Amino acid sequence: MGFQVAQYHKLNSPILSGNPLIECLPIRLSQEAFWDAVVDLVEVPEQLDSFDVETRELLASEIMKSVCPTSEYFDIYCDLLNTLKEGFISRNPLDPNTEKWKNNIATKTYQRTRTTAPNIKFTGISGMGKTTVVDSILALIPPVLIHPHDGPLGVETTHINYIKVNIPGEADSKSICLAIASKIDAVYGTDYETQYGSLKRSVCIDKIITLCTTLLIGMIIFDEIHNICFSSPNERALIFTLFDRFSHEARIPTIKIGTFKANRLSNKVFTNARRLGMPVDWANFSAESEDWKMLVEYAWSYQLTNEYQELTQELVQRVYEYTCGVPHCLFFLIEQANKYCLRNGIHKFSKEVLATVFNLKFSIMKPAILALKHGKIDAFDDLMTTNSDLDVETTKLIKKLLKIADENKFTGQESKAIIEQIEPYMMEYSFTKKELATFKRLEKQVASVPTNLPKEDDGYEDLPI
């Protein structure tokens, strides 16, 4: 496997200069240069008229791969790059104290000091593009570099700048350690994952801390940290202890990414908040947000129909009603609007097309969007996560929907949206007494609360539920 050879920059900084692990990292880009580096937009092909319907439909899906940076991107980029560099300050391989510290970790004679690595907790609702942001930024930083034998280190050295792992459902500390070991094996051709797999959990944790310390791993990114919420209390404590040891013993910065559900982990215990890191929260965009307006204008421009529909203020309002300021929902709406028009011979977008697409294609996401519309963020994240499992385990889906509905005490339109998801499976599903009571309560709520959705001139609601 070929890795990039390190190139070193002379840094005019007393804090950063003289450390080869920092001097080989990319110089921070200006805001304009950063935008150019990460933006990845799709455009309507000039020869669109020559494409058949099937080709256009395939092109319609390309918008889901878009990277359209908003104002938050640059701040996150600066914070992430600073965190990586700051983590190397106390781990300069040319400093004799670094080797002494590594030996103390390996021999378990290390005495904790005030030196600790920086950490960031990046949370936001599902569909905002948290992972996309981080992956776009990481693409600007070589994950692995080869330090040449004639470089500052004096010997050819393969060094890992960052590792990114996903926290699995019902995570446990050992599986996280093994996931990190697997990433290291992929770089060095080792078999640490196999070696550590047969060890006791506590020994496995000790081994991974020593290994990451010895290799001077630059940074570890943990994605899907909200899955820790589903772990047992004992495992949660062990995972937080693992995070703590990465920061205090191995001095490795960590970036933790997850939905707002992850904030429950830090709300309970202050020390958990400290271990998770500096909070960066990303909520859905407001309808007046300049970032949201930019995203809507971009998405709306991607029309693959025969005629182009100008974006009116009424259409802007409809788009927000159906997407609640969530980029994933916005891009999905445009993708499906293109496909619906193409398959049905409709020449251009319209409010009727958007309404039909929302009714037909958002049936899975609709309960989540309604929950968000009413400020129930936890329920939104729960429902968005649940929807991804619809075709896998229907029984688990129904149980989770009913549990979410019971915990959030849904009313009115939210109740109706939940019922619509469950009704197709009622003949095959056996309710428990509690689930049946919850379902009956939902049925009663459907007609009891008047809607506050927009109406047409004739008084009828236009938003299909």
Side-chain angles (χ1 to χ4, degrees):
M1 183 181 296
F3 297 115
Q4 184 175 330
V5 176
Q7 295 183 341
Y8 306 94
H9 310 279
K10 290 293 183 181
L11 302 177
N12 185 25
S13 168
I15 300 175
L16 305 179
S17 63
N19 187 327
L21 299 185
I22 297 176
E23 291 178 334
C24 68
L25 292 175
I27 301 297
R28 194 166 88 182
L29 300 173
S30 66
Q31 192 161 359
E32 294 75 16
F34 170 74
W35 170 280
D36 291 338
V38 300
V39 66
D40 187 8
L41 306 181
V42 291
E43 298 180 354
V44 176
E46 293 182 0
Q47 66 276 30
L48 181 66
D49 291 343
S50 65
F51 294 160
D52 58 23
V53 169
E54 182 181 15
T55 300
R56 293 194 199 188
E57 284 190 24
L58 292 173
L59 288 172
S61 301
E62 291 298 303
I63 194 171
M64 300 303 296
K65 305 172 186 176
S66 297
V67 178
C68 186
T70 56
S71 59
E72 295 90 348
Y73 273 56
F74 186 68
D75 285 338
I76 297 168
Y77 162 68
C78 293
D79 287 340
L80 193 150
L81 189 57
N82 284 350
T83 297
L84 176 59
K85 292 181 178 180
E86 184 181 345
F88 282 136
I89 292 175
S90 65
R91 297 185 292 158
N92 188 339
L94 302 183
D95 185 344
N97 289 323
T98 298
E99 196 63 31
K100 180 180 178 181
W101 155 71
K102 288 164 61 175
N103 289 333
N104 288 340
I105 293 293
T107 58
K108 299 184 179 180
T109 58
Y110 173 70
Q111 298 294 321
R112 281 199 177 195
T113 66
R114 296 181 62 183
T115 301
T116 184
N119 303 291
I120 297 176
K121 174 177 67 72
F122 181 27
T123 56
I125 65 172
S126 299
M128 289 302 295
K130 302 177 294 297
T131 300
T132 299
V133 174
V134 173
D135 286 348
S136 299
I137 293 170
L138 291 178
L140 305 179
I141 306 169
V144 180
L145 285 174
I146 303 294
H147 293 263
H149 65 87
D150 57 351
L153 296 181
V155 61
E156 183 172 305
T157 305
T158 302
H159 179 251
I160 298 175
N161 281 325
Y162 62 83
I163 288 173
K164 184 170 182 282
V165 297
N166 290 329
I167 303 293
E170 299 182 2
D172 63 81
S173 53
K174 185 173 180 178
S175 66
I176 295 173
C177 291
L178 295 178
I180 295 171
S182 175
K183 297 287 185 177
I184 293 173
D185 288 341
V187 173
Y188 292 102
T190 48
D191 64 345
Y192 291 114
E193 183 182 15
T194 302
Q195 293 179 38
Y196 297 170
S198 59
L199 300 176
K200 292 182 179 179
R201 181 172 49 193
S202 60
V203 178
C204 180
I205 292 174
D206 287 341
K207 290 287 187 180
I208 203 67
I209 292 296
T210 300
L211 178 62
C212 291
T213 300
T214 302
L215 295 175
L216 295 175
I217 301 295
M219 180 169 63
I220 302 177
I221 300 98
F222 296 102
D223 204 352
E224 309 289 342
I225 64 164
H226 47 269
N227 283 331
I228 300 173
C229 293
F230 303 110
S231 301
S232 67
N234 182 53
E235 277 301 336
R236 284 200 298 269
L238 288 170
I239 292 170
F240 279 117
T241 298
L242 178 64
F243 290 162
D244 189 60
R245 293 187 65 182
F246 276 126
S247 297
H248 286 86
E249 296 179 31
R251 300 179 185 175
I252 298 174
T254 60
I255 310 294
K256 305 173 186 76
I257 310 167
T259 68
F260 280 137
K261 183 189 290 291
N263 291 334
R264 299 178 190 174
L265 299 167
S266 56
N267 290 340
K268 295 179 180 179
V269 184
F270 174 75
T271 53
N272 287 350
R274 175 173 53 78
R275 290 165 174 170
L276 284 173
M278 179 185 73
V280 178
D281 294 331
W282 202 1
N284 57 312
F285 295 108
S286 68
E288 295 75 28
S289 164
E290 292 300 320
D291 282 326
W292 178 249
K293 292 177 183 177
M294 176 194 69
L295 289 171
V296 171
E297 289 176 3
Y298 159 64
W300 192 260
S301 71
Y302 195 61
Q303 296 180 41
L304 302 175
T305 49
N306 292 333
E307 299 178 27
Y308 184 84
Q309 170 61 54
E310 295 295 335
L311 183 60
T312 65
Q313 187 56 38
E314 180 184 15
L315 289 169
V316 168
Q317 293 172 353
R318 294 301 176 92
V319 167
Y320 194 82
E321 284 288 338
Y322 301 150
T323 62
C324 279
V326 178
H328 174 82
C329 297
L330 168 64
F331 292 162
F332 183 73
L333 179 68
I334 299 303
E335 175 197 21
Q336 294 302 320
N338 271 313
K339 291 181 176 180
Y340 178 77
C341 288
L342 292 168
R343 290 181 188 179
N344 292 278
I346 299 173
H347 294 298
K348 64 179 181 178
F349 287 6
S350 65
K351 65 180 182 181
E352 291 79 15
V353 166
L354 297 182
T356 301
V357 167
F358 182 79
N359 188 41
L360 294 177
K361 300 299 182 179
F362 275 65
S363 58
I364 291 176
M365 288 187 284
K366 198 183 301 180
I369 292 174
L370 286 169
L372 183 60
K373 182 180 176 69
H374 291 86
K376 297 178 179 178
I377 295 176
D378 279 355
F380 172 84
D381 283 329
D382 287 341
L383 290 164
M384 287 291 280
T385 303
T386 298
N387 290 330
S388 65
D389 299 328
L390 179 62
D391 295 327
V392 181
E393 298 181 48
T394 300
T395 298
K396 286 186 177 181
L397 167 71
I398 295 174
K399 285 185 176 296
K400 191 167 185 180
L401 286 172
L402 290 168
K403 182 179 179 182
I404 293 169
D406 182 60
E407 291 175 347
N408 290 274
K409 305 301 180 187
F410 285 149
T411 59
Q413 299 297 334
E414 298 160 316
S415 298
K416 184 175 181 180
I418 293 289
I419 288 175
E420 288 180 347
Q421 299 306 303
I422 296 175
E423 279 184 332
Y425 311 103
M426 286 185 63
M427 295 296 291
E428 303 169 4
Y429 183 75
S430 298
F431 290 89
T432 65
K433 288 184 178 180
K434 184 177 181 180
E435 289 171 344
L436 185 59
T438 299
F439 187 81
K440 289 185 176 297
R441 180 180 62 77
L442 291 173
E443 288 182 316
K444 291 180 180 178
Q445 292 292 341
V446 168
S448 65
V449 179
T451 180
N452 60 355
L453 298 176
K455 300 180 183 296
E456 293 289 273
D457 294 338
D458 58 8
Y460 288 96
E461 299 164 8
D462 184 59
L463 178 63
I465 300 299

